[in-house]
């Protein structure tokens, strides 16, 4: 038994008793996501919601435009719970379109603009999508691609140009908005009925292999995830923020709408390369921004940091560069960790310095249940030992969409999701903090000795010649596997060779057998379909390189 009025086929809904327990503890409520966003935006009125190189939009405009676009989508014949494939670059239009889908009770399928036939055709068919949102961009013919997808995905009835000039044969978001009366659209959305326990979005798994799996996220738990995120980062209407994350993907969407729920200004740019990001920081001076270790190091090497006015910046967020942030920028750095399937952890400005530098912080919600399991024996390990993170909680998912076999593999017998992440727990000032130790299968087996790639990478990133590093296993006839390092070099200092890196790591106290025995210099890491660094692709790259050398 569940609490939703209608169960979509293929979706694993949380049991009613689980939901009621979360309701009693105040984690979940009966306010749907669409209603919460609409009410919040109405309260901020003419305050600037979106800003950036491509223009501005107030909260009142965002509310009105998304009302009108939602009404237009319903006029096209789309019905509640129909799925819509998003394939649009980061832009103001993405925020309008996402908000409109939630207001119209449509389910965004959060693909990337970089996805192509393999991903869009599979995910479109898997989700039985009724519409395909695209942008018209210079670097790829999305119009021709969308036409091809109409023949590949038989369920697609509408192709809508969200951004750019649409041909006469296709509707555009701008024209659809213009065709709607504001008052009539608002009244229509006022009359919508929403189920807080129903699916709100089809997010995608962030795994390192194959095509992403679909993760159903529900209206009230997604809202809870958003508002808890806002609380954890202490967002207010005084904040402006830039985060070069994909806005449709889970972290990007949660982060963006967390800020918007608190009345801050989201800085949006279609370009997310390091130089564009630096220009945006110079021009708009956000109070909060995201920064990865590699661009941070390159900014330092290029002497750009002194050009930035960071007097109004209160916090810089990164996966693993808090220490570097404070050393290079002189601004408080905190770490963030999360997965689309559920749990998020955050550092806090008030955390002990060593905890901020060496851990991923504490759970987002008091309702997050996080345990460290022995992955082979399915038993909980004591504090301090490294094992697999297993989770459950008010915003943790209950199964991939229409994937019964996979779902049977990824949950423990007591209902915890097996994350595949290696973690450990350490106590600082009487509080437990979590440390990311790598992926469960992210090891090199060198003659039977296991090398934890994450451990070596963390140490190697301290080398002045390394902007970023990823270590993978390469085949070896004698040792079975050896460690190969793909290195993005720093700008100001030459990247080390194998001997120099070994000397550096041994000086840091690392055993020689753990040191990389080959280094490949690379400009950027290959990416997965969900935009994450792909180690499987790097493994294949070194296999191909070795084959050519034979």
């Amino acid at each position: 038994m569940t609490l939703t009025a209608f169960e979509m086929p293929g979706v694993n809904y949380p049991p009613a008793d689980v939901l009621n327990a979360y309701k009693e503890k105040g984690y979940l409520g009966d306010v749907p996501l669409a209603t919460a966003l609409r009410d919040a935006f109405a309260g901020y009125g003419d305050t600037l919601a979106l800003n950036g190189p491509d223009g501005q939009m107030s909260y009142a405009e965002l509310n009105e435009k998304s009302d009108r676009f939602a009404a237009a989508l319903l006029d096209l014949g789309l019905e509640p719970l129909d799925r819509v494939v998003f394939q649009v670059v980061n832009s103001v239009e993405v925020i309008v379109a996402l908000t409109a889908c939630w207001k119209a009770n449509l389910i965004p399928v959060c693909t990337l603009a970089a996805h192509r036939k393999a991903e869009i055709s599979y995910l479109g068919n898997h989700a039985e999508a009724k519409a395909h949102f695209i942008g018209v961009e210079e670097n790829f013919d999305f119009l021709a691609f969308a036409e091809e997808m109409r023949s590949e995905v038989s369920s697609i009835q509408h192709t809508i140009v969200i951004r750019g000039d649409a041909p006469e044969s296709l509707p555009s978001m701008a024209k659809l908005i213009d065709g709607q009366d504001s008052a009539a659209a608002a009244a229509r959305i006022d009359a919508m009925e929403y189920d807080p326990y129903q699916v709100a979005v089809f997010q995608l798994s962030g795994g390192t292999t194959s095509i992403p799996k679909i993760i159903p996220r529900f209206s009230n738990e997604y809202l809870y995830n958003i508002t808890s995120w806002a609380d954890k980062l202490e967002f207010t209407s005084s904040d402006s923020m830039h985060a070069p994350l994909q806005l449709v993907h889970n972290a990007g969407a949660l982060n963006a709408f967390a800020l918007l729920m608190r009345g801050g200004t989201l800085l949006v740019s279609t370009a997310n390369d390091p130089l564009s990001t630096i220009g945006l920081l110079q021009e708009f001076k956000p109070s909060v921004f995201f920064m990865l270790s590699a661009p941070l190091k390159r900014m330092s090497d290029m002497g750009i940091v002194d050009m930035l006015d960071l007097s109004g910046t209160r916090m810089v967020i990164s996966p693993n560069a808090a220490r570097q942030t404070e050393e290079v920028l002189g601004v408080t750095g905190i770490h963030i960790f999360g997965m689309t399937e559920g749990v998020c952890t955050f550092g806090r400005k008030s955390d002990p310095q060593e905890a901020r530098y060496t851990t991923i912080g504490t759970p987002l919600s008091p309702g997050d249940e996080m345990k460290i399991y022995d992955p082979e024996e399915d038993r909980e390990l004591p504090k301090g030992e490294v094992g697999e993170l297993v989770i459950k909680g008010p915003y943790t998912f209950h199964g991939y969409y229409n994937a019964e076999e996979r779902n049977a593999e990824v949950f423990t017998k007591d209902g915890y999701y097996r994350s595949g992440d290696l973690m450990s727990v350490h106590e600082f000032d009487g509080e437990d903090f979590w440390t990311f130790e790598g992926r469960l299968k992210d090891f090199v087996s060198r003659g039977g000795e296991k090398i934890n790639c994450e451990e070596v990478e963390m140490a190697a990133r301290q080398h002045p010649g390394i902007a970023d590093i990823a270590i993978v296993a390469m085949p070896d006839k004698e040792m079975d596997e050896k460690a190969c390092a793909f290195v993005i070099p720093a700008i100001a200092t030459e990247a080390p060779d194998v001997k120099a890196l070994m000397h550096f790591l041994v000086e840091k106290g690392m055993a020689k057998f753990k040191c990389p025995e080959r280094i490949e210099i690379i400009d950027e890491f290959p990416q997965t379909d969900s935009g994450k660094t792909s180690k499987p692709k790097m493994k294949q790259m070194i296999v191909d390189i070795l084959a050519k050398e034979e």
Side-chain angles (χ1 to χ4, degrees):
M1 179 180 174
T2 68
L3 295 183
T4 187
F6 169 75
E7 293 189 27
M8 287 175 54
V11 174
N12 286 7
Y13 287 85
D17 61 333
V18 171
L19 292 172
N20 284 325
Y22 288 138
K23 286 180 66 177
E24 289 175 7
K25 293 177 181 178
Y27 303 139
L28 300 182
D30 290 327
V31 177
L33 176 61
T35 301
L37 290 175
R38 196 162 183 249
D39 290 348
F41 295 173
Y44 299 124
D46 293 331
T47 302
L48 191 61
L50 307 172
N51 197 10
D54 294 333
Q56 301 178 337
M57 186 176 291
S58 71
Y59 279 93
E61 291 173 306
L62 174 56
N63 228 5
E64 182 195 14
K65 287 181 180 294
S66 55
D67 275 358
R68 292 162 70 185
F69 188 41
L73 292 172
L74 295 171
D75 280 349
L76 287 176
L78 290 169
E79 298 179 349
L81 304 187
D82 280 349
R83 274 75 82 188
V84 178
V85 171
F86 271 67
Q87 199 182 12
V88 189
V89 300
N90 279 5
S91 54
V92 168
E93 291 88 347
V94 166
I95 298 296
V96 175
L98 280 171
T99 307
C101 280
W102 288 325
K103 289 180 175 183
N105 238 340
L106 304 175
I107 299 176
V109 182
C110 297
T111 65
L112 294 176
H115 283 155
R116 294 297 180 258
K117 180 178 179 179
E119 298 87 8
I120 299 299
S121 61
Y122 170 77
L123 292 168
N125 280 308
H126 189 44
E128 298 178 279
K130 293 291 182 67
H132 185 189
F133 287 0
I134 63 169
V136 176
E137 309 293 342
E138 293 181 357
N139 61 345
F140 183 71
D141 190 346
F142 283 99
L143 294 170
F145 178 75
E147 184 176 352
E148 181 185 2
M149 288 303 97
R150 291 285 285 266
S151 63
E152 293 284 336
V153 184
S154 60
S155 59
I156 291 180
Q157 300 171 3
H158 305 281
T159 302
I160 301 172
V161 177
I162 299 302
R163 169 183 160 80
D165 296 327
E168 289 296 323
S169 58
L170 290 179
S172 71
M173 183 169 77
K175 290 179 180 178
L176 290 171
I177 288 173
D178 287 343
Q180 292 287 324
D181 175 75
S182 294
R188 188 167 186 182
I189 303 307
D190 282 339
M192 291 291 295
E193 294 183 0
Y194 304 106
D195 181 350
Y197 301 96
Q198 188 53 267
V199 177
V201 60
F202 272 0
Q203 281 291 354
L204 305 182
S205 64
T208 57
T209 59
S210 70
I211 292 174
K213 297 173 286 294
I214 290 176
I215 299 170
R217 298 292 301 268
F218 303 98
S219 180
N220 61 351
E221 60 88 356
Y222 212 58
L223 174 61
Y224 175 69
N225 203 167
I226 287 169
T227 55
S228 298
W229 189 297
D231 292 342
K232 198 77 168 185
L233 294 180
E234 300 178 328
F235 283 149
T236 72
S237 58
S238 299
D239 277 316
S240 60
M241 179 185 62
H242 174 61
L245 307 169
Q246 294 293 333
L247 286 174
V248 295
H249 265 201
N250 197 55
L254 291 172
N255 191 62
F257 284 96
L259 181 72
L260 295 173
M261 281 292 291
R262 295 293 183 263
T265 301
L266 181 67
L267 302 178
V268 183
S269 173
T270 57
N272 286 323
D273 60 280
L275 288 178
S276 297
T277 297
I278 290 165
L280 191 144
L281 297 179
Q282 287 175 317
E283 181 177 358
F284 295 100
K285 302 176 177 60
S287 61
V288 179
F289 61 87
F290 278 62
M291 182 66 70
L292 300 177
S293 57
L296 185 61
K297 193 160 191 174
R298 288 187 169 183
M299 285 170 60
S300 177
D301 290 344
M302 294 168 67
I304 292 174
V305 174
D306 293 338
M307 300 167 57
L308 298 176
D309 178 4
L310 301 176
S311 59
T313 303
R314 66 178 180 86
M315 182 169 55
V316 176
I317 304 167
S318 71
N320 56 14
R323 186 193 304 270
Q324 197 176 356
T325 293
E326 297 186 9
E327 292 175 349
V328 174
L329 301 179
V331 177
T332 299
I334 68 164
H335 291 159
I336 185 173
F337 170 87
M339 60 190 77
T340 310
E341 288 85 352
V343 76
C344 304
T345 65
F346 289 77
R348 298 166 298 204
K349 294 178 71 172
S350 59
D351 290 339
Q353 185 182 75
E354 190 63 19
R356 284 194 295 104
Y357 288 173
T358 63
T359 78
I360 56 171
T362 57
L364 177 65
S365 167
D368 286 325
E369 298 181 55
M370 301 172 63
K371 296 181 178 182
I372 302 295
Y373 269 29
D374 181 323
E376 294 182 357
E377 299 183 13
D378 234 15
R379 61 179 177 86
E380 190 169 2
L381 296 173
K383 187 183 299 185
E385 292 195 24
V386 176
E388 182 181 14
L389 173 69
V390 299
I391 57 170
K392 65 167 64 171
Y395 59 93
T396 294
F397 87 136
H398 289 260
Y400 297 109
Y401 176 68
N402 209 10
E404 187 175 344
E405 289 185 10
R406 181 59 179 155
N407 290 334
E409 298 172 352
V410 299
F411 289 93
T412 66
K413 59 181 179 292
D414 47 357
Y416 285 81
Y417 169 64
R418 304 176 191 272
S419 70
D421 292 317
L422 291 172
M423 295 273 188
S424 60
V425 184
H426 302 275
E427 189 174 303
F428 292 86
D429 292 350
E431 186 175 11
D432 286 344
F433 287 78
W434 296 77
T435 300
F436 180 75
E437 304 283 0
R439 291 286 296 169
L440 186 60
K441 297 181 180 179
D442 194 12
F443 285 88
V444 176
S445 182
R446 187 186 188 276
E449 295 284 354
K450 294 291 192 294
I451 301 170
N452 184 330
C453 297
E454 178 76 12
E455 175 193 8
V456 182
E457 290 164 354
M458 288 178 66
R461 287 191 184 102
Q462 299 175 48
H463 191 287
I466 295 177
D468 208 351
I469 183 170
I471 295 172
V472 300
M474 64 178 178
D476 183 78
K477 293 179 180 178
E478 293 183 7
M479 306 302 293
D480 189 31
E481 292 179 345
K482 288 183 178 179
C484 173
F486 284 82
V487 170
I488 299 176
I491 293 176
T493 306
E494 185 177 358
D497 59 16
V498 169
K499 185 177 180 179
L501 181 57
M502 178 180 290
H503 178 75
F504 177 83
L505 292 173
V506 170
E507 286 277 304
K508 292 285 183 183
M510 188 160 290
K512 280 188 177 181
F513 82 87
K514 294 183 178 181
C515 299
E517 295 175 69
R518 183 175 180 121
I519 292 176
E520 294 292 327
I521 302 298
I522 194 168
D523 290 331
E524 58 183 19
F525 297 137
Q527 303 291 298
T528 67
D529 294 323
S530 57
K532 292 189 176 183
T533 296
S534 174
K535 287 198 169 183
K537 289 183 179 179
M538 281 184 271
K539 286 182 179 180
Q540 187 58 53
M541 287 168 64
I542 189 60
V543 167
D544 293 343
I545 291 169
L546 293 172
K548 290 179 181 178
E549 292 176 353
E550 289 183 353

